[in-house]
Amino acid sequence: MAKSSTKTSYWQAAPMALVFLLFFAVPLGVILIVSFWKYTQYSISPAFIFSNYTDIFSGCFTQLPSLCTTFSTYLQTLIFCAEVWALTLAIGFTIAYFLVFEVRTTTMQVVLALLCTIPFWTSNVIRMISWIPLLGRNGLINQGLQDVGLTSHPIEWLLYSHFSVLLAFVHLNTVFMIIPILNSMARIDKSLIEAAHDAGASAWQTLWNVLIPLCKPGIAIGSIFVITVVMGDYITIGIMGGQQIASVGKVIQVQTNFLQFPLAAANAVVLLATVLVLIWALSRLVDIRKEL
Amino acid sequence: MSYRLNGKSVDRRTFLKGTAAAGATLAGAQILGAPAVHAESGVTLRYLGTAVNQSAEIAKKCKEDTGITIEYIPVTTDEVAKRIITQPNSFDMVDSEYFSLPNLVPSGNLIGMDAKKIKYSDKLATVITKGEVDGKKIGMQGTAPAKVFYLEGEHSKSFAKEPTEWITLIPTTYNADTLGMRPDLIGHKVEHWKALLDPELKGKTALINVPSIGIMDAAMAIESAGLMKYKDKGNQTKEEIDFTIETLIKAKKAGQFRAFWTDFNESVNLMASGEVVLQSMWSPAVTAVRSKGIKCAYPGLAEGYRGWASGFGLPRTTRGKKIDAAYEFVNWFLSGWAGAYLNRQGYYSAVLDTAKEYMKPYEWDFWMEGKPAAQDIHAPDGTLIEKAGAVRDGGSYVDRMGHVACWNSVMDQNEYMVKKWNEFIAA
């Protein structure tokens, strides 16, 4: 009985596994293989060379402490990652807290949670572009500020800047934090909070010692979503940064456009490795499987 | 230059359709041995290219006149090159830019077009075939079409120095690009490329973020500012590339640029919104800004223009009937109607004489002779472009194409250039 049920579950998993194998594992393997190939302006040919990787990091170690292009690009992306993660976590956690503990009726909770997802009914490019008329030099905010008399010149850093990229990232990704945290938080037994209160814990202590530990899986899952999205993104950085800010994705895109596929593949492998290290570090902190 | 489409889904859909059809027709052609007979009507040609020439009107008229169905596969400039290299069987004919040829021809995926089968081959514009306008030599820096116009043989992988029977690409459209600007926001005339780097316009300029074109605009500006004299802007040495990028990085760090753009529509929005007052721009983008009722100028500058040209090529995988249909289509394309259509959009057509027959004299005077418009000027789709009395920016064909200083290019140090360009973007 037990034996046949494991067999059945294998069969049940097979279609998904097959899809994954065909459309994920195989292409990924090809990328890895191609990253060791040689290329010219018009061809790529099988080889086993490391020059694509050494090219990415050429001069990176000798010219320290000044950063090479690769390092400064990764640093830039990692900074965005950290900022977006911190902001989406703070906002996402607060919203989830409000929905779970402040909103009384379940119906209202569901309605409000659905409201959070409404922006997702349009494409993320449209959600992003809609910021432009607001933030631009002749945009609503600048015109408003000048009409009120708060500023005499348009504020330039509102658009095509680090700020605007960050704003768009937070806007696009906060919901990925809200939903998993909400899910973890909703399962918390309310009597635990009361018990903490009865035991004399301050609100802050309850948050730190009871709520956050119990929300860890949600936070971890949300973090994985946000980090992977930000690390690989180049469209948001491109549109909101006026293409003046580098991102790893953009470097890869330029290289594929110039038919430097092996170089692009090597870059993709490095990016993948970086993301995997981040995820691995995160999973050290929280055992997601166990907590689920 | 090329247009970039946002409609990725369209792209994929047409592509999937295309590949399916390719499989079927290719298999069919090979089994039958497909003798070349003149029965082109009913043939469908999958036409890969940027949206520049891919007008539905042209396809419709072509169907009426020749019976050939044109199925467009619209992609970006870079994507055209990528397709030719990686999937030459996914299309039957291609409209590619000449500057890509040094990357494409060595792959052997494009074959020469037989000049004998091209009815107007001796009437092709000399600016493309010889680099001459009105018998006068023009700037040949970069990948000038005349340098890559002929192949040594049908299946040759190298360019011929002297005219041969085999043509790489039959020209479709070409133009002279300059800087686009908002005269109302700048407040004075701009006459030199160096304005792009002028601190007066700090934070209000933009550059195209396609390395092979952006670096040309940058080099025009740098040379105009007297910072450097290039031997060949379109084929810079490592030292020259280093200097160009270093200058750009300095300007970027000083806040010279508002943004960079890659998409045709981005350039339109930057200009129309006033975020940018001076930038790399393509002629139809200028028209698009003007059609919103916003002043946008595209004047000739003292140092000359950056030229570009694109043309029809055949992939080595096209067979039998489709080859004949492709030649018939090209001959139809050169016979005037399509040329007039393109001229009315502000491009230049490959065979001027035939296009002239299909244009009204006042249209010809405005677009080609640089004379004031005798009547209102309309685009082929009916949009009002200029009111009567207006003069085309830059003037006549001879004034514009005759002052091309350099061409879009692929450099010998292309790989190094791309690497440095990425450094510039990351700086």
Side-chain angles (χ1 to χ4, degrees):
Chain A
M1 189 64 199
K3 217 177 176 186
S4 83
S5 82
T6 40
K7 240 186 204 168
T8 319
S9 60
Y10 275 117
W11 276 114
Q12 285 169 332
M16 192 62 191
L18 198 69
V19 168
F20 256 113
L21 191 73
L22 269 178
F23 296 103
F24 183 71
V26 171
L28 205 60
V30 171
I31 289 176
L32 188 68
I33 293 167
V34 169
S35 73
F36 294 102
W37 284 20
K38 283 191 298 199
Y39 65 93
T40 65
Q41 290 192 12
Y42 50 85
S43 72
I44 57 176
S45 51
F48 188 72
I49 51 166
F50 289 91
S51 63
N52 298 320
Y53 288 94
T54 51
D55 279 355
I56 295 175
F57 294 108
S58 74
C60 282
F61 298 100
T62 50
Q63 71 180 61
L64 284 169
S66 72
L67 295 172
C68 62
T69 318
T70 307
F71 280 180
S72 61
T73 307
Y74 272 91
L75 182 68
Q76 181 68 64
T77 312
L78 285 171
I79 289 173
F80 273 127
C81 223
E83 289 170 337
V84 174
W85 176 77
L87 287 169
T88 51
L89 178 61
I91 299 170
F93 191 89
T94 315
I95 293 175
Y97 182 89
F98 175 80
L99 287 176
V100 173
F101 294 108
E102 301 292 328
V103 178
R104 296 294 158 105
T105 64
T106 329
T107 329
M108 202 57 194
Q109 276 180 358
V110 174
V111 168
L112 289 177
L114 281 178
L115 267 182
C116 291
T117 66
I118 283 187
F120 281 74
W121 295 2
T122 59
S123 91
N124 70 351
V125 175
I126 293 187
R127 267 175 290 149
M128 199 156 36
I129 287 175
S130 50
W131 282 107
I132 293 178
L134 207 65
L135 301 173
R137 183 178 283 139
N138 304 310
L140 274 180
I141 292 184
N142 267 323
Q143 277 179 357
L145 286 177
Q146 285 172 75
D147 288 349
V148 176
L150 281 173
T151 54
S152 55
H153 296 288
I155 304 169
E156 305 269 325
W157 55 259
L158 283 177
L159 187 59
Y160 302 136
S161 61
H162 190 92
F163 167 78
S164 56
V165 175
L166 196 57
L167 182 73
F169 266 139
V170 171
H171 172 215
L172 298 177
N173 294 317
T174 300
V175 86
F176 295 128
M177 275 295 193
I178 299 177
I179 303 298
I181 296 178
L182 184 72
N183 185 39
S184 297
M185 216 182 258
R187 298 172 182 201
I188 296 175
D189 189 345
K190 300 275 188 325
S191 55
L192 281 177
I193 316 280
E194 282 163 30
H197 184 71
D198 292 346
S202 67
W204 194 247
Q205 281 173 320
T206 314
L207 176 74
W208 197 251
N209 296 319
V210 180
L211 278 181
I212 292 183
L214 289 172
C215 289
K216 259 178 159 181
I219 293 175
I221 293 171
S223 304
I224 291 174
F225 277 138
V226 170
I227 289 171
T228 45
V229 167
V230 175
M231 283 303 287
D233 178 278
Y234 67 96
I235 294 176
T236 309
I237 297 185
I239 293 179
M240 299 305 289
Q243 301 192 19
Q244 298 225 52
I245 300 171
S247 58
V248 185
K250 182 73 195 175
V251 172
I252 295 174
Q253 192 211 15
V254 170
Q255 284 164 346
T256 55
N257 282 344
F258 277 79
L259 302 168
Q260 302 172 341
F261 288 111
L263 198 55
N267 253 313
V269 171
V270 173
L271 176 63
L272 184 67
T274 316
V275 175
L276 284 178
V277 168
L278 286 176
I279 304 295
W280 174 80
L282 210 68
S283 65
R284 293 275 96 182
L285 295 176
V286 189
D287 187 344
I288 297 172
R289 285 170 60 101
K290 199 183 87 198
E291 303 275 352
L292 283 177
Chain B
M1 261 325 307
S2 68
Y3 289 92
R4 275 138 220 287
L5 295 184
N6 287 329
K8 286 254 163 61
S9 60
V10 174
D11 195 7
R12 196 172 57 233
R13 204 165 55 228
T14 23
F15 166 63
L16 288 174
K17 241 164 57 190
T19 37
T25 46
L26 212 68
Q30 272 156 0
I31 292 162
L32 297 171
V37 284
H38 283 279
E40 282 79 32
S41 55
V43 177
T44 298
L45 284 177
R46 293 164 303 154
Y47 171 165
L48 173 72
T50 58
V52 171
N53 309 325
Q54 296 192 329
S55 137
E57 292 286 311
I58 292 179
K60 200 175 131 209
K61 182 74 180 161
C62 170
K63 176 87 184 165
E64 275 170 33
D65 290 0
T66 66
I68 297 168
T69 307
I70 298 294
E71 189 180 298
Y72 289 130
I73 309 176
V75 296
T76 64
T77 309
D78 294 329
E79 191 69 23
V80 171
K82 223 190 285 178
R83 277 284 183 97
I84 294 172
I85 300 286
T86 57
Q87 302 155 10
N89 54 353
S90 68
F91 55 92
D92 303 312
M93 62 182 315
V94 60
D95 187 356
S96 165
E97 283 200 41
Y98 282 86
F99 86 82
S100 307
L101 286 175
N103 283 348
L104 304 178
V105 165
S107 73
N109 283 356
L110 285 182
I111 58 170
M113 304 265 307
D114 190 345
K116 284 188 197 145
K117 292 191 194 166
I118 304 291
K119 209 167 141 196
Y120 299 97
S121 64
D122 54 338
K123 288 197 169 177
L124 295 172
T126 54
V127 64
I128 305 296
T129 56
K130 297 186 199 154
E132 286 175 6
V133 174
D134 249 7
K136 268 191 300 195
K137 277 268 168 216
I138 60 163
M140 294 293 275
Q141 291 193 10
T143 311
K147 291 184 194 166
V148 293
F149 200 73
Y150 297 103
L151 287 177
E152 283 171 350
E154 186 178 10
H155 293 280
S156 168
K157 293 183 183 181
S158 48
F159 301 109
K161 293 209 165 59
E162 299 299 321
T164 65
E165 189 192 330
W166 304 101
I167 298 174
T168 49
L169 299 174
I170 304 295
T172 47
T173 47
Y174 51 96
N175 212 329
D177 281 359
T178 177
L179 294 173
M181 58 197 75
R182 287 279 300 267
D184 53 331
L185 297 179
I186 297 180
H188 59 80
K189 257 194 147 174
V190 171
E191 281 165 344
H192 297 278
W193 279 82
K194 65 182 175 192
L196 197 60
L197 297 170
D198 189 347
E200 185 204 329
L201 300 175
K202 195 176 129 187
K204 293 177 182 172
T205 64
L207 201 59
I208 174 172
N209 189 8
V210 173
S212 47
I213 307 169
I215 196 141
M216 299 306 293
D217 282 353
M220 289 294 278
I222 288 170
E223 200 168 70
S224 151
L227 299 174
M228 171 126 190
K229 182 95 185 104
Y230 294 94
K231 204 155 162 267
D232 182 345
K233 286 183 279 296
N235 195 11
Q236 301 178 19
T237 61
K238 277 192 171 181
E239 291 72 32
E240 286 173 331
I241 294 171
D242 282 343
F243 182 81
T244 310
I245 298 294
E246 206 180 296
T247 314
L248 286 177
I249 289 177
K250 253 190 247 161
K252 184 183 170 189
K253 289 201 165 147
Q256 180 68 18
F257 306 111
R258 181 63 171 157
F260 303 130
W261 60 267
T262 39
D263 184 300
F264 169 84
N265 296 309
E266 285 174 332
S267 74
V268 174
N269 291 339
L270 284 172
M271 206 58 147
S273 65
E275 293 293 334
V276 162
V277 299
L278 182 94
Q279 65 172 353
S280 315
M281 220 172 169
W282 303 334
S283 167
V286 174
T287 312
V289 173
R290 281 186 194 159
S291 68
K292 295 175 199 281
I294 296 166
K295 272 202 182 118
C296 186
Y298 204 55
L301 300 170
E303 293 81 12
Y305 294 86
R306 173 178 52 73
W308 62 270
S310 65
F312 288 127
L314 278 179
R316 65 176 156 80
T317 47
T318 306
R319 294 276 184 277
K321 254 185 166 182
K322 292 224 174 193
I323 293 191
D324 297 324
Y327 276 105
E328 191 179 340
F329 173 66
V330 170
N331 281 326
W332 174 83
F333 198 92
L334 299 178
S335 70
W337 190 91
Y341 187 94
L342 295 167
N343 286 343
R344 279 191 212 105
Q345 286 181 311
Y347 298 111
Y348 292 128
S349 61
V351 183
L352 296 172
D353 297 347
T354 56
K356 190 175 183 176
E357 292 164 24
Y358 286 83
M359 289 171 82
K360 303 229 169 66
Y362 77 89
E363 289 181 320
W364 181 263
D365 284 349
F366 174 80
W367 290 113
M368 294 296 167
E369 304 289 348
K371 290 180 187 162
Q375 300 175 31
D376 286 356
I377 299 292
H378 294 272
D381 64 359
T383 328
L384 179 73
I385 294 186
E386 292 286 2
K387 293 234 169 73
V391 180
R392 181 173 189 174
D393 277 347
S396 67
Y397 178 88
V398 177
D399 280 340
R400 296 181 82 247
M401 286 317 291
H403 287 101
V404 164
C406 64
W407 297 82
N408 286 350
S409 76
V410 169
M411 303 185 184
D412 293 340
Q413 294 293 343
N414 189 38
E415 198 184 317
Y416 184 72
M417 193 274 284
V418 173
K419 194 178 147 206
K420 295 297 281 186
W421 186 268
N422 276 332
E423 254 173 61
F424 162 52
I425 298 298

